[in-house]
């Protein structure tokens, strides 16, 4: 292995959002391009883990708070993945039904201890490898202490020369904790304290930005935005900008493929040149399958939101936006798939009783339904306040579903207004119900203009956002570092 990706999520083993998608795709494309990559995640007690068998790779013990704790590294033997996936087995911390929290009860209160143990055990494993990776690629705050630890903890001195890359998928989660938990970390030079600290707390995200050899964000736009608004870290991002670069995420064309998607009942035919009629037939049959499953009207445009129902995603404006739109009699319907803030669940559920047949709300996480929705919907709605990259709009394009997005972060970097040359979707600038509502009016007009809509669908399905290009940017970075 040349690169070890250290992540809290990796599709298909553990996914709660975009981090899982990236960790489950980028290593495959890097490996194909000659940078043999592996991923290591914790061994969670999730259904995927229970379904597979594991081969023992390493047995070790990591040192935490004056004590040694045993761990094992294992590898699924029957998962048929195109890259090496390792799971780190720490049963007390990770053999639970959720990734970051209990599906019923919310966030685990010991996430600081869990992810510190994860990182210490991984470094112990790497220390014991005969042939070490050339790059340690850390993803988000769960792996954010590694760049510091390899530089300043004598325990990991033998790893000092391995370049570290830190990729920020979402800077809203920094993993900060009080200095009173300093004893969870191994010894390090006292003068290095400042390289862990931000605002008098140990801050894994800030520490990674300070200590990693190179930092990437998942879109160029997001990198610039972090220098302007990042909950107090703006100065840090400005100060470290020389070692930061924005690399737009790609999508896995094997998983997200209208010709072969295993979650779909019917597919786009495989032929040399796809015609508009093929696409229309594909969309109609997807719509028919889904609509008959959910009991909805097939003739109106369906607008779908998939994602975390949280403020960051703009989910808090959905209830008012949908209410205003449906109250004024717009001939469109909405489907919501997601979970998050309880008050948003309640408001949406309540609204779905007011508008039966026009609003379908599915609270929860459902990978299969998400695929059907990307394929069957006419539009995908992303009214995000913040969007580091956003993958939904890229999946939507691949399935001929037009994105309606706020012009922010990766959404702005990936979607071009549909009236412009090479246009691919509907964008709105300001974060407001009025702006989102005008975007929906535009969607309604576009849907009625059948010829234009068909033409746009054909165009967007041909846009290439596969990992090939983005993976090559990571390879340039790795080559620079090694
Ligand atoms: P995030 O900020 O949550 O990581 P991204 O747009 O980067 O957002 O990635 C979201 C990924 O998670 C997509 O693959 C999307 O389809 C998936 N996803 C989000 N919520 C759900 C859900 N409730 N059910 C199924 N898939 C979901």
């Amino acid at each position: 292995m040349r690169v070890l990706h250290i992540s809290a999520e990796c599709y298909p083993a553990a996914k709660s959002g975009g981090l899982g998608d990236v960790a489950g795709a980028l290593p495959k494309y890097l490996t194909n391009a000659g940078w043999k990559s592996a991923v290591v995640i914790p061994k969670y007690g999730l259904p995927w883990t229970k379904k597979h068998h594991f081969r023992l790779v390493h047995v070790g013990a990591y040192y935490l708070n004056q004590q040694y704790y045993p761990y094992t590294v294992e590898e699924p033997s029957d998962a048929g993945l195109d890259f090496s996936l390792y799971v780190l087995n720490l049963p007390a911390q990770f053999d639970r039904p959720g990734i970051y929290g209990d599906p019923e009860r919310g966030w685990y209160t010991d996430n600081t201890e869990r992810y510190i143990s994860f990182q210490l055990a991984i470094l112990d494993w790497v220390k014991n490898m005969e042939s070490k990776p050339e790059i340690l690629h850390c993803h988000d705050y769960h792996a954010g202490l590694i760049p510091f630890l390899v530089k300043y903890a004598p325990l990991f001195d033998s790893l000092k020369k391995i370049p570290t890359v830190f990729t920020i998928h979402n800077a809203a989660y920094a993993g900060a904790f009080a200095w009173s938990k300093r004893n969870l970390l191994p010894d390090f030079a006292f003068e290095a304290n400042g390289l862990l600290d931000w605002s008098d707390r140990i801050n894994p995200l800030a520490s990674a930005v300070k200590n990693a050899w190179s930092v990437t964000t998942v879109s160029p736009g997001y990198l610039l935005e972090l220098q302007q608004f990042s909950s107090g870290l703006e100065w840090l991002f400005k100060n470290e900008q020389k070692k930061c670069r924005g690399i737009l995420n790609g999508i896995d064309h094997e998983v997200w493929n209208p010709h072969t998607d295993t979650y779909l009942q019917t597919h786009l035919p495989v032929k040399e040149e796809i015609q508009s009629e093929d696409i229309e037939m594909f969309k109609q049959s997807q719509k028919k399958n889904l609509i008959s499953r959910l009991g909805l009207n097939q003739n109106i445009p369906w607008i779908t939101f998939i994602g975390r129902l949280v403020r960051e995603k703009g989910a808090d404006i959905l209830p008012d936006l949908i209410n205003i739109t449906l109250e004024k009699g717009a001939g469109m319907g909405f489907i919501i798939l997601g979970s998050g803030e309880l008050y948003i669940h309640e408001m949406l559920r309540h609204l779905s009783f007011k508008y039966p047949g026009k609003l379908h709300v599915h609270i929860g996480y459902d990978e299969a339904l998400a695929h059907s929705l990307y394929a069957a919907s006419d539009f995908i709605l992303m009214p995000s306040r913040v969007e580091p990259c956003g993958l939904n709009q890229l999946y939507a394009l691949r399935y001929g579903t037009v994105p309606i997005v706020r012009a922010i972060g990766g959404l702005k970097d990936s979607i071009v207004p549909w009236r412009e040359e090479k246009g691919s979707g509907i964008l709105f600038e300001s974060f407001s119900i009025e702006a989102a509502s005008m975007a929906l009016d535009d969607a309604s007009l576009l849907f009625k203009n059948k010829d234009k809509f068909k033409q746009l669908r054909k165009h967007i399905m041909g846009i290439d956002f596969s990992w090939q290009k983005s993976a090559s940017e990571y390879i340039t970075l790795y080559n620079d570092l090694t």
Side-chain angles (χ1 to χ4, degrees):
M1 151 212 337
R2 297 184 70 189
V3 189
L4 179 62
H5 292 267
I6 303 149
S7 169
E9 301 179 29
C10 180
Y11 177 82
K15 166 178 165 183
S16 82
L19 171 63
D21 281 339
V22 173
L26 175 61
K28 187 161 90 180
Y29 287 80
L30 290 171
T31 300
N32 288 343
W35 272 83
K36 197 164 186 296
S37 299
V39 188
V40 60
I41 60 167
K43 188 176 185 185
Y44 300 103
L46 298 174
W48 189 91
T49 318
K50 308 241 184 282
K51 228 168 59 194
H52 293 284
H53 295 99
F54 292 85
R55 186 178 70 80
L56 189 65
V57 173
H58 177 75
V59 180
Y62 66 94
Y63 188 70
L64 178 139
N65 204 5
Q66 321 281 334
Q67 227 177 302
Y68 282 97
Y69 293 88
Y71 71 89
T72 57
V73 178
E74 301 164 22
E75 191 177 26
S77 51
D78 54 355
L81 301 175
D82 301 331
F83 58 94
S84 304
L85 172 68
Y86 297 101
V87 293
L88 187 102
N89 193 4
L90 295 169
Q93 281 105 326
F94 291 106
D95 188 11
R96 303 181 189 177
I99 298 178
Y100 309 115
D102 186 280
E104 307 293 322
R105 274 167 267 167
W107 293 97
Y108 296 127
T109 51
D110 58 350
N111 277 340
T112 299
E113 289 76 5
R114 293 169 84 219
Y115 288 103
I116 287 178
S117 301
F118 172 60
Q119 294 172 82
L120 293 176
I122 284 167
L123 290 180
D124 183 77
W125 173 44
V126 176
K127 215 170 109 174
N128 284 290
M129 284 178 187
E130 253 173 51
S131 156
K132 300 202 186 342
E134 289 169 54
I135 301 272
L136 292 175
H137 193 146
C138 309
H139 295 268
D140 270 354
Y141 91 82
H142 323 97
L145 293 168
I146 287 179
F148 173 86
L149 292 172
V150 297
K151 261 188 181 164
Y152 297 105
L155 184 63
F156 302 119
D157 239 4
S158 57
L159 308 180
K160 221 183 187 126
K161 295 216 173 84
I162 305 182
T164 50
V165 175
F166 182 64
T167 293
I168 302 175
H169 298 258
N170 194 340
Y173 302 92
F177 55 93
W179 272 99
S180 55
K181 292 193 176 180
R182 152 77 186 85
N183 56 346
L184 295 173
L185 301 178
D187 284 346
F188 55 82
F190 178 73
E191 316 80 80
N193 266 359
L195 294 167
L196 272 180
D197 184 89
W198 195 261
S199 296
D200 295 331
R201 284 161 76 75
I202 297 181
N203 185 316
L205 180 92
S207 166
V209 174
K210 291 180 192 184
N211 294 292
W213 291 32
S214 180
V215 175
T216 70
T217 57
V218 289
S219 72
Y222 187 48
L223 178 57
L224 295 177
E225 285 164 18
L226 287 175
Q227 292 169 10
Q228 307 301 325
F229 319 97
S230 49
S231 316
L233 296 180
E234 298 78 6
W235 176 84
L236 176 65
F237 283 107
K238 277 187 199 139
N239 211 36
E240 300 285 357
Q241 60 182 317
K242 279 210 186 90
K243 69 172 177 191
C244 298
R245 45 183 113 172
I247 302 179
L248 192 73
N249 281 338
I251 64 173
D252 189 334
H253 270 193
E254 286 169 17
V255 175
W256 300 93
N257 188 338
H259 299 287
T260 56
D261 191 325
T262 48
Y263 290 111
L264 305 184
Q265 292 165 11
T266 55
H267 296 102
L268 194 63
V270 180
K271 47 163 128 156
E272 218 152 85
E273 196 167 344
I274 297 291
Q275 305 296 330
S276 251
E277 293 67 52
D278 300 318
I279 294 174
E280 292 313 304
M281 271 173 67
F282 167 73
K283 293 295 289 184
Q284 285 308 323
S285 87
Q286 296 307 318
K287 212 167 172 178
K288 211 165 148 196
N289 291 342
L290 182 82
I291 297 294
S292 62
R293 190 165 136 200
L294 304 180
L296 306 169
N297 176 351
Q298 198 180 326
N299 300 317
I300 56 172
W302 282 96
I303 293 153
T304 293
F305 174 98
I306 300 173
R308 291 179 291 124
L309 294 171
V310 295
R311 279 174 56 83
E312 195 187 339
K313 297 283 179 195
D316 52 322
I317 66 166
L318 287 175
D320 280 346
L321 179 64
I322 294 172
N323 194 27
I324 289 170
T325 310
L326 294 180
E327 209 155 54
K328 71 182 180 196
M332 44 176 59
F334 294 87
I335 303 179
I336 312 284
L337 167 61
S339 62
E341 302 279 358
L342 292 183
Y343 78 95
I344 304 179
H345 297 182
E346 283 316 308
M347 286 169 84
L348 287 170
R349 273 204 189 108
H350 179 76
L351 215 53
S352 69
F353 294 124
K354 185 170 172 192
Y355 296 110
K358 285 285 179 78
L359 169 62
H360 179 85
V361 178
H362 184 109
I363 301 295
Y365 189 93
D366 188 332
E367 190 74 25
L369 180 58
H371 280 247
S372 306
L373 289 173
Y374 288 117
S377 307
D378 297 293
F379 297 92
I380 202 101
L381 176 62
M382 301 178 75
S384 307
R385 271 193 183 76
V386 182
E387 195 58 80
C389 173
L391 289 167
N392 301 16
Q393 80 280 14
L394 306 182
Y395 298 144
L397 293 174
R398 185 96 168 109
Y399 290 86
T401 298
V402 179
I404 305 171
V405 303
R406 165 134 192 266
I408 188 91
L411 297 174
K412 197 173 172 180
D413 287 346
S414 55
I415 302 300
V416 177
W418 69 273
R419 288 186 178 83
E420 290 178 16
E421 205 196 335
K422 299 198 175 151
S424 52
I426 297 170
L427 286 106
F428 58 98
E429 288 289 332
S430 76
F431 182 83
S432 66
I433 293 182
E434 292 70 32
S437 183
M438 280 167 72
L440 290 180
D441 291 344
D442 204 18
S444 179
L445 276 180
L446 177 59
F447 186 78
K448 284 184 190 138
N449 186 345
K450 294 286 173 221
D451 288 342
K452 180 69 211 167
F453 197 54
K454 269 189 203 170
Q455 203 186 335
L456 183 62
R457 270 178 168 166
K458 183 161 188 285
H459 165 65
I460 63 178
M461 287 183 92
I463 302 176
D464 184 1
F465 275 111
S466 82
W467 266 110
Q468 244 104 13
K469 180 172 170 288
S470 310
S472 73
E473 293 183 46
Y474 280 106
I475 289 176
T476 306
L477 170 63
Y478 296 159
N479 283 328
D480 291 349
L481 294 177
T482 53

